[in-house]
Amino acid sequence: MRKLLIAGNWKMNGSQSMALALCRDLVSGVAPLTGIDVLICPPFTLLHRVSEAVSSSIIATGAQDIDEHEKGAFTGQVSADMVRDAGGSHTILGHSERRVLYGENDERIAAKVHAALSRGLIPIVCVGESREQREGGHTDEVVLGQLDPVIGQCGIGAFSKGIIAYEPVWAIGTGLTATPDQAQEVHSLIRRRLADHDADIAARCRILYGGSMKPDNAAELLDQLDIDGGLIGGASLNEDDFLAICRAAADRAVPKSG
Ligand code: PEP
């Protein structure tokens, strides 16, 4: 049975005052909700403050990226240990903006997944096709082509802790959303690929949908068999929208046991 995860990606947005006000609202808003996990991934500069602000709640925090190295002469980069030191427990990796704007390839993303896991951070590995790739009928090969290198380099065990986010690039920040059927089809493809390696891990791994998830489409997406939560960009910056998505998830999650 599943416990849905709603994760917010603030991208390069936010200030100390905005973050604290938003966290205050989120902490009280999620307090009555059960059966879900909630994560927010602010920019590095806000991670420590945000981690403290949500520490009394079910909300965990994470980074939007890490460097694959442990430490050293990598000006501008932030390591897994630094994220943990700032209070983070997760990190998004391989977001399409990192792949496209910063040229991160599958091998580097897999190295980051390895670094995250070996330093005790839970990676959320993003995969997804562009509009051209979907229209050309290449969705499956693109998504599996991004997933396989992580399994190859890190082993299927990476997904006993790791999370996957299916984020069709054409749906990120565009207001376009995959239909529930389109999303379910890819989520099921991902789960089947995991199951080729380890059925147990496949059954337990959380696969999130990301791409313009909003209060008005969250319920039907979260109703899908293989959608175990959402990675939310724009709507995570608005407390009403993010909490509405959290509530939709709580309505669909199993009650916590024990
Ligand atoms: C994202 O940035 O990962 C994302 C899904 O953004 P949005 O929800 O705004 O499409």
Side-chain angles (χ1 to χ4, degrees):
M1 300 297 263
R2 55 198 205 143
K3 187 171 170 200
L4 300 174
L5 169 63
I6 299 302
N9 173 12
W10 290 8
K11 309 195 186 195
M12 198 171 74
N13 293 292
S15 61
Q16 305 280 337
S17 57
M18 163 270 179
L20 293 183
L22 183 52
C23 287
R24 208 172 30 243
D25 291 341
L26 294 181
V27 165
S28 58
V30 299
L33 304 181
T34 56
I36 60 168
D37 290 316
V38 180
L39 172 73
I40 49 185
C41 298
F44 290 129
T45 53
L46 297 174
L47 185 54
H48 187 234
R49 277 310 276 291
V50 167
S51 300
E52 283 185 340
V54 299
S55 62
S56 64
S57 76
I58 61 161
I59 303 173
T61 61
Q64 299 171 18
D65 189 35
I66 57 164
D67 191 81
E68 63 272 40
H69 299 94
E70 273 182 36
K71 60 178 168 182
F74 301 101
T75 300
Q77 296 298 95
V78 170
S79 70
D81 281 347
M82 290 169 176
V83 169
R84 291 202 59 193
D85 189 49
S89 51
H90 292 64
T91 182
I92 297 169
L93 293 173
H95 191 281
S96 67
E97 288 152 19
R98 301 296 317 171
R99 293 178 190 265
V100 174
L101 302 175
Y102 303 101
E104 291 192 11
N105 61 21
D106 294 324
E107 193 185 15
R108 178 143 192 239
I109 292 160
K112 290 182 179 203
V113 173
H114 185 266
L117 287 166
S118 64
R119 308 306 292 180
L121 275 187
I122 298 173
I124 300 174
V125 182
C126 301
V127 297
E129 81 290 357
S130 66
R131 187 166 56 84
E132 294 71 26
Q133 289 165 333
R134 174 164 281 271
E135 287 173 358
H138 303 301
T139 299
D140 293 9
E141 101 198 45
V142 170
V143 167
L144 295 180
Q146 293 170 339
L147 180 60
D148 287 344
V150 179
I151 298 174
Q153 257 174 261
C154 303
I156 188 65
F159 292 109
S160 62
K161 287 218 168 71
I163 294 162
I164 297 170
Y166 167 56
E167 297 211 300
V169 180
W170 49 271
I172 297 177
T174 59
L176 299 172
T177 316
T179 65
D181 284 349
Q182 283 174 325
Q184 166 59 26
E185 210 174 293
V186 179
H187 281 237
S188 157
L189 173 83
I190 292 169
R191 204 177 300 282
R192 279 183 276 123
R193 182 61 121 219
L194 298 177
D196 289 342
H197 296 270
D198 188 312
D200 232 45
I201 288 176
R204 281 185 286 110
C205 179
R206 287 199 279 199
I207 308 174
L208 313 183
Y209 169 79
S212 299
M213 190 184 266
K214 308 277 184 217
D216 61 359
N217 60 29
E220 54 181 3
L221 286 160
L222 295 171
D223 272 338
Q224 300 304 306
L225 184 64
D226 290 299
I227 299 186
D228 305 312
L231 179 52
I232 324 292
S236 71
L237 291 161
N238 177 297
E239 65 274 17
D240 292 336
D241 287 352
F242 193 64
L243 285 171
I245 295 170
C246 291
R247 279 192 288 273
D251 287 346
R252 280 154 184 82
V254 289
K256 275 184 195 152
S257 60

